[in-house]
Amino acid sequence: MPQTGRVLIQNNVEVGAGTTIDRGSLRDTVIGEGTKIDNQVQIGHNVTIGRHCLLAAQIGLAGSLTIGDNVALGAKVGINNHLKIGDGAQVTAMSGVKDDIPPNGRWGGFFAKPTNSGSGRLSRWSGWCRPARPIRRTRDGSDGGSTGQV
């Protein structure tokens, strides 16, 4: 099948070293105005990247994606083909995306799922911070033998 599409790079776009942008097969591959692309990013055929997006190093974007405006993708993110990433979405580093992401969504993980606020990763580990056994206070106020040393 002949590749008849083009690569259209709009104004004020920065493309890092070793980045590959595939020409469109049936439609154009478009990089929106003001987008910043770090080193070693692979952009597949027919991908449309919106305006003012940030793509960190070593991202792989499969073909026919639509990425909205003001999207931020962390390093080593991989996104499957034919998906839509909504305006203002954020994907944390080293995530694998196999589903559409709604506008302003914050996703992460492998496979990527919605995350809470920036402390979402820490909240998952909060149960690990509890003592192994409850500390019981004695009548004299001590904890029953602790020397206070760590």
Side-chain angles (χ1 to χ4, degrees), residues 60-116:
L61 304 178
S64 302
L65 294 175
T66 300
I67 296 177
D69 296 337
N70 302 304
V71 170
L73 304 178
K76 294 190 176 185
V77 166
I79 303 180
N80 203 6
N81 55 347
H82 300 282
L83 296 181
K84 181 171 174 49
I85 311 300
D87 292 346
Q90 298 175 353
V91 181
T92 62
M94 298 181 67
S95 296
V97 180
K98 66 177 185 66
D99 299 306
D100 290 344
I101 297 178
N104 299 310
R106 295 185 69 170
W107 285 44
F110 193 84
F111 290 108
K113 299 210 178 299
T115 63
N116 295 332

Side-chain angles (χ1 to χ4, degrees), residues 25 30 63-64 115 121 125 137:
S25 59
V30 180
S64 302
T115 63
R121 178 172 275 186
W125 299 99
R137 301 269 178 212

Side-chain angles (χ1 to χ4, degrees), residues 13-21 35-43 53-61 73-77:
V13 171
E14 293 180 17
V15 179
T19 291
T20 304
I21 303 172
T35 291
K36 309 300 181 206
I37 302 170
D38 203 353
N39 300 333
Q40 299 180 342
V41 173
Q42 164 63 39
I43 299 172
C53 294
L54 298 174
L55 282 68
Q58 298 181 338
I59 289 174
L61 304 178
L73 304 178
K76 294 190 176 185
V77 166

